[in-house]
Amino acid sequence: MELLGDYESWFSLWSLLCPGEEKRVGTRTVYVGNRPTSETDAFIAQKYCDNRIVSSKYTVWNFIPKNLFEQFRRIANFYFLIIFLVQAIVDTPTSPVTSGLPLFFVITVTAIKQGYEDWLRHRADREVNKSTVYIIENSKCVKKECEKIKVGDIVEVRDNETFPCDLILLSTSCGDGICTATTASLDGESNSKTYFAVRETASLCTDEAIDSLTATIECEQPQPDLYKFVGRMNIYTNQDIKARSLGPENLLLKGATLKNTRKIYGVAVYTGMETKMALNYQGKSQKRSAVEKSINAFLIVYLCILVSKATICTTLKYVWQSNPANDEPWYNLKTRKEKESFKILKIFTDFLSFMVLFNFIIPVSMYVTVEMQKFLGSFFISWDKEMYDEEIKEGALVNTSDLNEELGQVEYVFTDKTGTLTENTMEFIECCIDGHKYDDTVDGLSVIDGCGGSFGKAAKEKEELFLRALCLCHTVQIKKECQTDGLVSSPDNKCTYVSASPDEIALVNGAKKYGFTYMGIENDIMKIKNQRNELETYQLLHVLNFDPDRRRMSVLVKSHTGKIFLFCKGADSSMFPRVALEEIERIKVHVEQNALDGYRTLCVAFKELSQDEYDQMNKQLDEAKMALQDREEKLSKAFDDIEADMHLLGATAVEDRLQEQAAETIEALHAAGMKVWVLTGDKLETAKSTCYACRLFQNNTELLELTTKTLEEYQRKEDRLQELLLEYHRRLVQEAPKPKGGLKRSWSGSQDYGLIIDGSSLSLILSSGCSSSHYKNIFLQICQKCTAVLCCRMAPLQKAQIVKMVKNIKGNPITLSVGDGANDVSMILEAHVGIGIKGREGRQAARNSDYAVPKFKHLKKLLLVHGHLYYVRIAQLVQYFFYKNLCFILPQFLYQFFCGFSQQPLYDAAYLTMYNICFTSLPILAYSLLEQHINIETLIANPKLYMRISDNAMLQWWPFLYWTLLGAFEGLVFFFGVYLLFQNPALEGNGQVYGNWSFGTIVFTTLVFTVTLKLALDTRYWTWLNHLVIWGSLAFYVIFSIFWGGIIWPFLKQQRMYFVFSHMLTSVSVWLAIILLIVVGLYPEILLRLTKNIKAANQKEHPLSSCSLKPPAITLSLGVIKKVQLQLPMLISYRELENGYLSRLDGEEYNLNPLLSSLELYE
């Protein structure tokens, strides 16, 4: 009880030291080693989740009900389920098998696919959960399964092993409490990160020593942010409690891998599904493509056609039966009372029967075919060798296959700059010290930035102070192997610098060029070698870490003479307000010149602190670091107070080179009709220089600026901003000549405009208020008239706001965001399509994107080739499915006019069932995976071809109407052609008469051959697989029909198809009729193609027409005209010139080029 009273006293004292902490909520207390803090305390084991990882969606018990529930939430599946139930309950003309079997096929294929994917997740979970880990129990290292780890267990992890849960680092085998780890599986960052143990536990390097530790950890409840952690450790020693703050630098995350350290000890704080890695499993919001929306619209149209057909047939049935001669036969006459009873129910039943009879007009198998096309098609992106990067040994990655076709519809591209357009490999170029510019020479020759052009150097004291600041103000570690006796550090050894930021490594290497070499850190002592080859030591007191809001970082160090210094480096916008004005002028001109040259600039400052000043700052920092509530806000305030009244030493210039072919890629995107916006956090001058270098802005581009610089001279910035918006709107929108023909992807006439805006100006435009909404619309109209837009000084949230704003403008243009860092994730998730670059800033962008590519240059092929082809393929697939089903059902509808609307099926049940599943499904699937209507080289060489399919051109209402009319025409030809053939029912010499099943079989045979040959006619790119599925499907139909009609099936009550097909083939008249009807059905299509090819053949030769295209060719002999070699048209689109997709294309070039002038309806 006495000890307990002491503990309460300590807690009361702690509450006085940290006021408000006693009211905190949302924290957990972890007992290290699951031991009480004193022997007299009763320890009650706390209940936390175990360390099992569960990423799977289903179990053995819930797979069937859960999967069925999810599948029948889709309207199409639910519709066919209702149809199946109607067939099973109501006396309908067709068997329930005809709709039940296709539905069962679709449900089964989808369930197998989802079940297999979930099985893979189960297998991966099992491998992780059953892996071996080492836990310290009773001073011994015990081997256990990973899933057996509990919160509070002390875990031993060895070199190159993965951390099994989220651990607080206690000690390392090196004895200094420092270890490095890679987090590639979390954020993909290849650079090693450094983690630290608290000073009191760092020396506990053995199993016995670490097991003797008595401590508790108070920390926040689990949350998914990988880079945030708030906690503190209370260490109990001889009735004394020492509290130490814990942050992200102490937390080893599950999934990270230990590097260059023999072993470490850590205590588990988050396990299983509460680890940060598991909390990041949550899926992204579902994105829907424009093709899905078109499918739904077309589905509604065909549903209306279905209801109309059923209504017409039901009405005409009762009209027809109103004639007594057409009613019941004389032997089955009903009384009037019998006729009138249940009349409404009979009408409704008849309506349902007709709905069932015609329901095959709705293509249920289209959904599973589209899913298979998207899933299998995504592999072609991953397998593309031209998108494989040898440097990182990786290719493109597809995170979602639902948006393949959306890559062919992009109108706006939003891109980050650093790491996306540039390499993010930093190289130190030059520096400025006290106004003197130092170039990259051994002796440090410098030239003054000014009018005099004289030569000189900064004072030796400032020069050395600046270089010391570069050597000390960073978080760089030296990569060396950890030995059992500690860290071996020799000044003569060649050392490799390791840091999460490439900028810091470039600056340390820059200081090395001028004679100051960073030698590493050991036990909080930083070592540097100066120009005189002397070793200097500094005690590291505090690190004020970099964050995007402050845009700077600082260190507090103590020299061997006892002097305390604050060294700070950061962006000029965050540093200039914290230094003296007279010091700014000497540096500012140098910083601005470097920014114009395209370099990344950082300013360096310092101040010397007295012991009293440091003690006060140290107390403020410790209080902020120990807080569990609002720690970030308290730290931010402490940092602001400390980083004030500094002295500016100089600035650095680091070059981040453009990525290979970045300029050519942006030019290609512009030529394809896309508008490219650069959204970056860099300063205006640097970003502008990069935009010129990558040809976003051309030399003749007139730049319009809405930046702080254009507003700072005015007291009311809002008023000036509104004036500029109105002026730009008048020039670009009101006074600009209207483009002819209502061009949709056009810019303002012959003059190119570019807009530059910064974050503060954007905040003014987006601020709440009615007038702001008006000016936001004006701003958007200006942006739409600009060829390119540069947004600089952007916060991550502002990037997402811009994408959302453009995404929601009139017309809902398709947007694409591309970035490489964690600050780009918000805009990647906001855009219709998100592209992640597998860059050096980590893989958070790649993990959260829909597609990931190694380099920005790969965006060109991804959009212009893969996007173009995928859109054309799936558009063809969708239109073809509706077309072939209309051809299929229209003869069934017409047949009702000749059978007294008796709901007699025209086709056999086997044909009804297998038409969409077997006879016509594989050819269109192969086509939608392999077709190349224009070869890949031509698509890359001519980006303007991308505009021909823009704005969902092939799934608009006019192409849909064309396909529908074509299907209706062919359906009429099939039915009435066979009807005319049957005017003489005796089609054989022996006078044998054919029946209704023969009639339906002839129609069906003509139908299957015609729709399959139609697809063959559309195919430009033939492979062995196309030949196999097209001719194989026709052969399978013939073989099946012979087999189906050649056997007496014991499970069938009616053998109505027995010998029908074989008997039909013995008639020469039937053979001739089928061939003739196929030709007549395809005649409009062939005529349209030949007419356009004759026109194309007579066109003047154009450079684009000389490209190596290899379509099928047709040779015709046209009477007195010489033989003409006709090639099937290459470009498949519906749009004409007037619709505006050729905004920058010369009219004469358009007319002369058969590729661009082909206005073929791509059926």
Side-chain angles (χ1 to χ4, degrees):
M1 290 296 293
E2 190 174 57
L3 287 171
L4 185 60
D6 289 340
Y7 179 76
E8 290 176 351
S9 301
W10 278 111
F11 185 78
S12 301
L13 178 62
W14 182 255
S15 300
L16 290 173
L17 292 173
C18 300
E21 291 299 309
E22 68 279 358
K23 298 180 182 178
R24 66 183 182 273
V25 292
T27 62
R28 63 167 56 181
T29 300
V30 177
Y31 291 84
V32 177
N34 287 312
R35 291 187 300 274
T37 54
S38 66
E39 294 180 0
T40 57
D41 289 344
F43 176 70
I44 301 174
Q46 295 170 293
K47 292 184 179 180
Y48 298 111
C49 73
D50 57 27
N51 200 39
R52 282 182 301 165
I53 287 293
V54 181
S55 61
S56 54
K57 190 176 182 180
Y58 305 106
T59 65
V60 175
W61 310 109
N62 70 9
F63 174 72
I64 292 177
K66 191 173 181 178
N67 186 266
L68 288 178
F69 173 75
E70 290 179 350
Q71 290 206 57
F72 283 117
R73 288 170 65 184
R74 296 185 71 168
I75 294 175
N77 290 345
F78 185 73
Y79 163 78
F80 275 91
L81 177 64
I82 295 299
I83 292 293
F84 171 73
L85 294 176
V86 168
Q87 285 180 293
I89 296 170
V90 180
D91 184 18
T92 55
T94 56
S95 167
V97 176
T98 57
S99 60
L101 193 60
L103 178 63
F104 176 77
F105 172 75
V106 170
I107 296 295
T108 303
V109 168
T110 307
I112 290 172
K113 173 179 171 287
Q114 294 178 352
Y116 174 71
E117 291 173 349
D118 202 62
W119 176 77
L120 293 177
R121 287 191 287 266
H122 271 285
R123 189 175 68 175
D125 291 346
R126 196 179 309 113
E127 289 177 1
V128 172
N129 294 332
K130 298 297 181 182
S131 60
T132 301
V133 296
Y134 299 95
I135 297 175
I136 307 301
E137 289 183 354
N138 300 320
S139 301
K140 293 181 180 179
C141 187
V142 180
K143 187 184 294 186
K144 285 190 176 183
E145 291 180 349
C146 183
E147 63 183 5
K148 299 294 180 61
I149 295 176
K150 301 188 299 292
V151 170
D153 284 346
I154 298 176
V155 182
E156 178 185 305
V157 182
R158 299 170 184 178
D159 193 23
N160 291 317
E161 287 184 352
T162 300
F163 300 121
C165 57
D166 289 351
L167 304 167
I168 292 296
L169 179 62
L170 296 177
S171 64
T172 69
S173 57
C174 302
D176 58 358
I178 300 176
C179 74
T180 56
T182 57
T183 55
S185 61
L186 295 169
D187 58 12
E189 191 165 340
S190 56
N191 293 330
S192 297
K193 294 181 180 178
T194 306
Y195 296 90
F196 304 90
V198 297
R199 193 174 303 136
E200 284 73 15
T201 66
S203 59
L204 306 176
C205 303
T206 64
D207 296 347
E208 294 78 9
I210 200 69
D211 197 51
S212 66
L213 175 66
T214 302
T216 60
I217 295 172
E218 295 175 89
C219 60
E220 61 188 356
Q221 293 292 356
Q223 52 100 353
D225 194 324
L226 296 174
Y227 306 104
K228 288 184 180 179
F229 176 74
V230 175
R232 64 171 171 242
M233 180 184 290
N234 302 316
I235 304 166
Y236 299 82
T237 55
N238 300 324
Q239 303 299 317
D240 186 25
I241 301 178
K242 292 183 180 178
R244 294 289 179 260
S245 67
L246 300 173
E249 68 278 5
N250 308 112
L251 183 66
L252 303 169
L253 299 177
K254 177 181 176 67
T257 304
L258 182 66
K259 292 291 182 184
N260 303 318
T261 309
R262 192 164 60 84
K263 70 176 180 179
I264 64 99
Y265 295 105
V267 58
V269 287
Y270 304 129
T271 53
M273 298 308 293
E274 290 183 342
T275 58
K276 289 183 181 289
M277 186 178 80
L279 293 175
N280 277 277
Y281 281 155
Q282 56 190 1
K284 304 182 287 291
S285 58
Q286 188 68 30
K287 296 181 179 180
R288 293 179 61 209
S289 69
V291 170
E292 286 186 53
K293 298 171 186 175
S294 297
I295 291 175
N296 291 337
F298 297 162
L299 203 62
I300 291 172
V301 172
Y302 270 65
L303 197 58
C304 293
I305 294 174
L306 171 62
V307 173
S308 302
K309 284 183 175 181
T311 304
I312 291 171
C313 286
T314 304
T315 304
L316 292 179
K317 175 179 180 177
Y318 284 90
V319 170
W320 190 77
Q321 288 183 348
S322 63
N323 185 348
N326 297 332
D327 202 359
E328 301 287 345
W330 60 269
Y331 52 82
N332 197 25
L333 287 176
K334 291 185 174 68
T335 64
R336 177 175 294 276
K337 183 178 180 180
E338 289 175 327
K339 291 180 181 179
E340 296 297 332
S341 61
F342 304 109
K343 189 170 185 178
I344 295 177
L345 182 61
K346 289 177 182 176
I347 292 174
F348 181 68
T349 304
D350 284 332
F351 175 78
L352 289 180
S353 297
F354 281 117
M355 286 282 288
V356 168
L357 191 63
F358 302 142
N359 84 86
F360 293 94
I361 196 173
I362 306 296
V364 62
S365 59
M366 179 181 68
Y367 286 94
V368 72
T369 308
V370 167
E371 279 195 15
M372 290 173 67
Q373 190 268 351
K374 289 183 175 183
F375 175 70
L376 297 174
S378 63
F379 288 104
F380 288 94
I381 296 177
S382 304
W383 293 337
D384 193 330
K385 292 182 179 178
E386 293 182 14
M387 296 170 69
Y388 181 84
D389 187 70
E390 290 291 342
E391 183 181 349
I392 63 173
K393 304 297 182 185
E394 290 184 47
L397 175 68
V398 180
N399 292 325
T400 174
S401 59
D402 293 335
L403 302 171
N404 292 345
E405 66 278 5
E406 207 82 332
L407 294 170
Q409 297 296 299
V410 176
E411 292 185 42
Y412 285 86
V413 176
F414 300 92
T415 176
D416 178 42
K417 183 184 78 70
T418 305
T420 304
L421 295 177
T422 60
E423 288 282 1
N424 202 20
T425 52
M426 309 302 176
E427 181 183 352
F428 186 88
I429 300 298
E430 62 187 35
C431 63
C432 165
I433 305 175
D434 198 25
H436 299 265
K437 176 180 174 182
Y438 285 68
D439 60 15
D440 191 6
T441 58
V442 177
D443 61 355
L445 183 66
S446 64
V447 56
I448 288 181
D449 293 310
C451 301
S454 58
F455 294 87
K457 280 189 175 185
K460 188 69 174 177
E461 181 183 353
K462 278 205 171 183
E463 185 181 291
E464 291 188 351
L465 198 57
F466 176 85
L467 295 173
R468 286 190 182 96
L470 294 186
C471 281
L472 296 171
C473 187
H474 55 72
T475 57
V476 174
Q477 297 291 321
I478 291 183
K479 186 176 181 180
K480 287 189 178 180
E481 291 296 328
C482 175
Q483 308 296 332
T484 53
D485 55 350
L487 187 68
V488 176
S489 177
S490 172
D492 299 323
N493 287 347
K494 288 186 177 180
C495 37
T496 303
Y497 294 131
V498 176
S499 175
S501 169
D503 294 78
E504 291 194 329
I505 296 176
L507 294 178
V508 172
N509 283 326
K512 193 174 182 180
K513 291 179 181 178
Y514 294 112
F516 274 75
T517 305
Y518 173 60
M519 303 300 294
I521 181 172
E522 186 175 356
N523 297 324
D524 289 338
I525 301 299
M526 303 181 76
K527 301 175 184 178
I528 60 175
K529 186 189 292 183
N530 61 25
Q531 292 170 330
R532 296 178 295 278
N533 217 25
E534 299 170 346
L535 191 67
E536 298 181 6
T537 59
Y538 293 84
Q539 182 184 356
L540 179 62
L541 303 174
H542 287 285
V543 177
L544 281 56
N545 288 316
F546 174 87
D547 64 69
D549 296 326
R550 286 167 54 239
R551 298 180 63 81
R552 60 185 182 274
M553 71 89 61
S554 303
V555 293
L556 282 163
V557 295
K558 187 175 185 178
S559 70
H560 64 280
T561 60
K563 292 183 179 181
I564 299 174
F565 293 97
L566 169 77
F567 291 113
C568 181
K569 71 171 186 281
D572 58 323
S573 59
S574 66
M575 296 290 286
F576 285 168
R578 300 180 173 274
V579 297
L581 288 174
E582 60 272 12
E583 296 173 342
I584 296 175
E585 296 303 321
R586 296 197 296 268
I587 307 296
K588 189 175 183 180
V589 62
H590 177 84
V591 170
E592 290 179 348
Q593 181 58 48
N594 280 335
L596 288 173
D597 293 337
Y599 300 141
R600 292 166 61 89
T601 58
L602 285 176
C603 294
V604 181
F606 90 106
K607 74 174 178 181
E608 186 176 347
L609 303 174
S610 67
Q611 187 63 45
D612 291 338
E613 288 175 325
Y614 170 72
D615 291 340
Q616 184 179 355
M617 291 179 180
N618 185 49
K619 181 181 179 182
Q620 186 180 6
L621 277 173
D622 285 343
E623 288 179 358
K625 287 182 177 180
M626 296 303 296
L628 291 183
Q629 290 291 315
D630 305 322
R631 178 184 288 187
E632 291 182 7
E633 291 79 0
K634 293 175 182 177
L635 279 174
S636 178
K637 183 179 184 305
F639 291 169
D640 280 343
D641 293 341
I642 294 170
E643 296 168 334
D645 302 323
M646 297 183 292
H647 300 286
L648 193 60
L649 286 172
T652 61
V654 174
E655 183 181 24
D656 187 8
R657 293 176 181 172
L658 276 183
Q659 282 197 18
E660 180 187 3
Q661 298 182 27
E664 291 82 352
T665 302
I666 286 184
E667 278 191 331
L669 298 182
H670 267 147
M674 294 177 235
K675 296 185 179 181
V676 182
W677 292 32
V678 173
L679 313 181
T680 179
D682 270 359
K683 63 181 301 173
L684 186 148
E685 291 79 8
T686 306
K688 188 195 293 187
S689 175
T690 304
C691 289
Y692 274 111
C694 67
R695 301 176 201 165
L696 183 74
F697 295 151
Q698 304 290 341
N699 292 329
N700 63 340
T701 303
E702 183 178 342
L703 297 182
L704 312 174
E705 291 194 17
L706 294 171
T707 61
T708 306
K709 186 178 290 187
T710 59
L711 306 178
E712 62 185 3
E713 299 176 2
Y714 297 83
Q715 290 185 345
R716 297 244 341 137
K717 294 182 179 180
E718 294 87 349
D719 295 341
R720 177 56 180 164
L721 180 63
Q722 292 171 6
E723 289 176 12
L724 287 173
L725 284 172
L726 293 174
E727 179 187 343
Y728 295 158
H729 185 266
R730 177 178 52 78
R731 288 171 57 188
L732 271 68
V733 181
Q734 297 174 356
E735 296 180 358
K738 292 187 177 181
K740 296 180 181 180
L743 298 178
K744 292 184 181 178
R745 287 205 176 185
S746 65
W747 298 301
S748 41
S750 58
Q751 175 62 52
D752 285 348
Y753 288 96
L755 178 68
I756 301 176
I757 186 170
D758 59 14
S760 57
S761 301
L762 182 69
S763 298
L764 292 174
I765 294 174
L766 298 181
S767 59
S768 58
C770 298
S771 60
S772 175
S773 177
H774 171 66
Y775 287 109
K776 185 172 85 169
N777 293 332
I778 291 177
F779 170 70
L780 282 173
Q781 292 178 35
I782 294 170
C783 290
Q784 288 178 273
K785 291 294 181 180
C786 293
T787 56
V789 178
L790 166 62
C791 304
C792 53
R793 296 299 194 195
M794 289 283 125
L797 185 60
Q798 287 181 313
K799 292 183 179 183
Q801 286 176 330
I802 288 177
V803 176
K804 185 176 182 180
M805 184 172 62
V806 174
K807 191 170 75 169
N808 294 329
I809 64 177
K810 185 179 179 181
N812 301 114
I814 303 300
T815 57
L816 179 145
S817 291
V818 53
D820 72 315
N823 59 331
D824 302 317
V825 170
S826 54
M827 75 169 182
I828 284 173
L829 294 177
E830 185 62 50
H832 291 96
V833 183
I835 308 290
I837 302 293
K838 298 179 178 180
R840 299 173 184 272
E841 289 189 17
R843 296 292 171 84
Q844 274 196 297
R847 284 172 52 241
N848 288 277
S849 64
D850 302 305
Y851 302 88
V853 292
K855 301 286 185 184
F856 182 78
K857 66 178 181 180
H858 298 133
L859 196 64
K860 181 178 178 180
K861 187 171 186 184
L862 185 67
L863 298 182
L864 301 187
V865 176
H866 290 290
H868 188 122
L869 293 177
Y870 278 124
Y871 174 76
V872 168
R873 291 165 180 169
I874 202 165
Q876 176 82 346
L877 184 151
V878 171
Q879 299 279 31
Y880 180 79
F881 255 98
F882 283 108
Y883 147 81
K884 72 184 181 70
N885 278 37
L886 182 60
C887 293
F888 181 43
I889 288 303
L890 185 59
Q892 176 73 74
F893 171 69
L894 297 173
Y895 187 61
Q896 297 306 304
F897 289 84
F898 296 87
C899 68
F901 305 97
S902 61
Q903 299 156 12
Q904 169 66 34
L906 177 62
Y907 311 117
D908 180 63
Y911 290 157
L912 285 171
T913 304
M914 300 185 68
Y915 175 72
N916 280 316
I917 296 178
C918 300
F919 299 149
T920 60
S921 59
L922 286 180
I924 184 60
L925 178 61
Y927 176 95
S928 65
L929 290 172
L930 303 172
E931 174 63 1
Q932 293 179 23
H933 62 292
I934 304 176
N935 64 26
I936 291 174
E937 292 77 14
T938 306
L939 287 172
I940 291 179
N942 300 283
K944 292 173 184 175
L945 297 175
Y946 188 87
M947 290 188 286
R948 298 285 292 149
I949 59 163
S950 60
D951 198 31
N952 204 14
M954 293 175 60
L955 288 174
Q956 296 291 342
W957 289 109
W958 281 112
F960 173 71
L961 180 61
Y962 172 83
W963 281 90
T964 303
L965 292 177
L966 185 65
F969 168 76
E970 292 182 6
L972 290 169
V973 168
F974 301 155
F975 182 81
F976 287 107
V978 179
Y979 177 77
L980 291 175
L981 176 67
F982 269 65
Q983 294 303 303
N984 177 15
L987 298 178
E988 293 189 17
N990 59 10
Q992 184 176 353
V993 177
Y994 279 8
N996 65 314
W997 295 114
S998 298
F999 182 92
T1001 304
I1002 296 172
V1003 172
F1004 190 80
T1005 303
T1006 309
L1007 163 71
V1008 170
F1009 274 78
T1010 303
V1011 297
T1012 305
L1013 292 175
K1014 166 73 170 69
L1015 192 64
L1017 194 62
D1018 287 337
T1019 302
R1020 306 287 191 274
Y1021 187 78
W1022 285 90
T1023 66
W1024 66 267
L1025 191 59
N1026 292 94
H1027 285 289
L1028 176 66
V1029 296
I1030 287 178
W1031 313 124
S1033 293
L1034 295 177
F1036 173 74
Y1037 164 69
V1038 173
I1039 294 169
F1040 172 82
S1041 297
I1042 295 172
F1043 180 70
W1044 178 249
I1047 298 175
I1048 299 292
W1049 298 99
F1051 58 86
L1052 293 179
K1053 294 180 181 178
Q1054 299 173 339
Q1055 304 292 334
R1056 56 196 180 193
M1057 291 300 293
Y1058 181 67
F1059 223 66
V1060 168
F1061 190 81
S1062 301
H1063 188 212
M1064 182 191 78
L1065 295 181
T1066 61
S1067 172
V1068 177
S1069 303
V1070 172
W1071 277 90
L1072 292 175
I1074 290 174
I1075 295 172
L1076 179 63
L1077 291 176
I1078 291 172
V1079 173
V1080 172
L1082 295 177
Y1083 180 74
E1085 183 74 12
I1086 296 172
L1087 184 65
L1088 184 66
R1089 292 174 186 274
L1090 293 184
T1091 303
K1092 289 178 179 178
N1093 278 294
I1094 292 172
K1095 180 182 177 182
N1098 293 329
Q1099 296 280 353
K1100 294 180 181 179
E1101 186 176 358
H1102 185 272
L1104 282 180
S1105 63
S1106 64
C1107 297
S1108 56
L1109 306 178
K1110 299 180 181 178
I1114 300 174
T1115 304
L1116 293 182
S1117 179
L1118 305 175
V1120 294
I1121 306 176
K1122 64 180 180 180
K1123 288 186 177 180
V1124 181
Q1125 184 79 8
L1126 299 178
Q1127 292 198 337
L1128 295 177
M1130 292 300 89
L1131 189 62
I1132 46 173
S1133 178
Y1134 178 74
R1135 296 293 181 168
E1136 299 185 25
L1137 176 63
E1138 287 74 16
N1139 72 357
Y1141 294 106
L1142 305 174
S1143 56
R1144 287 189 158 185
L1145 195 59
D1146 183 80
E1148 183 179 354
E1149 176 189 352
Y1150 175 82
N1151 291 323
L1152 292 177
N1153 179 11
L1155 280 177
L1156 297 177
S1157 62
S1158 170
L1159 302 178
E1160 176 187 4
L1161 295 172
Y1162 192 52
E1163 303 82 25

